[in-house]
Structures are given as structure tokens and as C-alpha cells.
Amino acid sequence: MSDQPTAEHSNRPEITIKLASTSDEMMQCFMLRAAVFMGEQQCPYWEEYDGNDYTASHLILYVDGEPAASIRVRWFAGFAKLERAIILKRYRSYGLFLPFVHWAKEFCRKKGYPKAYLHGQKRLWPIFEKDGFRKVDDKVFHFSDHEYGAFACDLDVGENAPTVTTDPMVLNRPEDKLDMPGILEESMDRGASNPHAHWTERRAT
């Protein structure tokens, strides 16, 4: 996966998608959600910021460098849950939603998750079904004043999915760049040069 711009022509907006990996990028995700869920959909603060933000990954999409959309991803055994997906109102005519969901699914697939799961608002069900998601069951449930259904789709993780036998340095790479050498690999040239105190000395200090 790449955080390089996806636009191909200069007369189109420059679209960039990446993992939010700094405190500023996290705040941008929170700002986007506040604008849409709290501002437009009247969601109470305590329901929107539910205690799961610092145990999740956050993806952010930029249009010409401006924060425009975000998705939160939470990790469960055997599946990744896509949630809190929003696009600012002024960018909703750009056709960004499905490409953003595709990027999120690819992010999950490369981390080795065989399924993506989400709770879709009823008005969006046809879009999710068009994108390969299928309802988990016929149950309809409600939270924060909206009607939802549970959807899931299979992800083809392939033979390159990370496991405990994967090269340790690959597993040290940034979460959204597992296929690219990371900063710690550059440090390998120095070797194990850091002196270590004996255990008794460490206990004394």
C-alpha cells in the first residue's frame, strides 16, 4: 500500500490515503468525525468517542492536502471491523467512498485478516452489497438513532500474510507499509553495538 497521491491527471484533485500515524493526523480524524457525526447527524459526544479510539487504527484521506475522510479499524481474532467511516459533505460528490473502503480492505488483507466486517446504516446497504459485502444475518439493530445491519466480506490474504515465522524486520515496519523497508532496517548496518549492563547492575540502579 502506498500513501502516494492516486490522481493521474493534473486537472483532478490530488487524493492521498494513509494510516494516521501522528497525533496531528489522529486529531484530524477526530475533527472529521465531529463535523459529520456530531454536527450533521446529532450524535452525542459520549457515543461518538466511545473509548475505542486508542485501541484502533485510523485511516485518513486527503483531497489536495485537506483532511476529507476517515475510517476507524478495530482488530478482532479472525476479522477486522471497519467503522466510523465518514466523508465531509463538500467532498461527497467526488466518488471517494468505495475507493477509500477498498484501500481499507487492502490494508486489512495485507495485515493477514481474512474478513472485513462492518455495521452499515440501512440507507447504505445497496452500496456495501455492490462492493462485495453480504449481510451476516437478518438482524436489524439500532444505536445512536440509526438503523444498522451487520455485513462481512472475504479478503484473499494469500501466502504473504504475516505470521510468527515472517521475517522479524518485516513485522517491525509501519503498519501500512509492510511491503516497504522500514527505518529499523536501516539501523541493521550498525550491528549490535549498544553495550548492555549486567543484570545485577541494572537491579542496583
Side-chain angles (χ1 to χ4, degrees):
M1 283 168 292
S2 171
D3 58 359
Q4 295 301 311
T6 57
E8 297 179 357
H9 303 288
S10 59
N11 62 334
R12 296 181 179 178
E14 184 178 279
I15 307 301
T16 306
I17 303 173
K18 70 181 301 291
L19 176 72
S21 56
T22 68
S23 58
D24 188 52
E25 291 168 348
M26 288 281 288
M27 291 303 105
Q28 292 169 15
C29 293
F30 297 162
M31 173 275 296
L32 291 166
R33 285 164 46 192
V36 174
F37 289 124
M38 295 174 61
E40 291 185 36
Q41 299 185 15
Q42 317 301 311
C43 179
Y45 174 87
W46 298 110
E47 293 180 10
E48 174 53 33
Y49 299 100
D50 58 356
N52 287 319
D53 284 318
Y54 289 98
T55 58
S57 297
H58 299 262
L59 312 180
I60 188 164
L61 181 149
Y62 297 92
V63 176
D64 290 333
E66 184 72 14
S70 69
I71 295 175
R72 186 173 79 179
V73 185
R74 286 200 294 142
W75 310 104
F76 294 82
F79 68 95
K81 184 173 185 286
L82 310 182
E83 54 191 22
R84 300 300 200 271
I86 62 93
I87 298 176
L88 281 184
K89 188 173 184 178
R90 62 180 175 270
Y91 298 116
R92 289 177 198 158
S93 64
Y94 287 38
L96 299 174
F97 184 71
L98 287 181
F100 196 14
V101 172
H102 291 168
W103 199 97
K105 288 161 62 176
E106 180 69 0
F107 174 59
C108 298
R109 185 192 71 79
K110 285 197 172 184
K111 284 176 65 66
Y113 284 80
K115 285 186 180 293
Y117 170 94
L118 57 81
H119 296 159
Q121 290 186 10
K122 190 171 184 179
R123 62 188 177 85
L124 299 175
W125 290 1
I127 296 176
F128 291 127
E129 290 170 346
K130 182 178 179 181
D131 193 44
F133 284 88
R134 296 292 177 262
K135 288 198 73 177
V136 172
D137 51 38
D138 293 329
K139 185 183 298 183
V140 177
F141 49 97
H142 306 81
F143 59 87
S144 293
D145 309 307
H146 289 272
E147 193 172 40
Y148 290 87
F151 288 78
C153 73
D154 293 327
L155 305 176
D156 182 13
V157 297
E159 297 179 356
N160 294 325
T163 71
V164 294
T165 61
T166 298
D167 186 324
M169 300 310 294
V170 170
L171 297 180
N172 283 339
R173 293 172 180 175
E175 295 289 290
D176 60 338
K177 299 176 182 177
L178 292 177
D179 52 355
M180 300 172 60
I183 188 68
L184 291 182
E185 283 158 283
E186 295 180 13
S187 75
M188 294 174 68
D189 293 339
R190 301 199 302 267
S193 59
N194 189 32
H196 297 279
H198 294 295
W199 171 241
T200 53
E201 294 174 352
R202 292 204 303 270
R203 290 184 63 188
T205 58

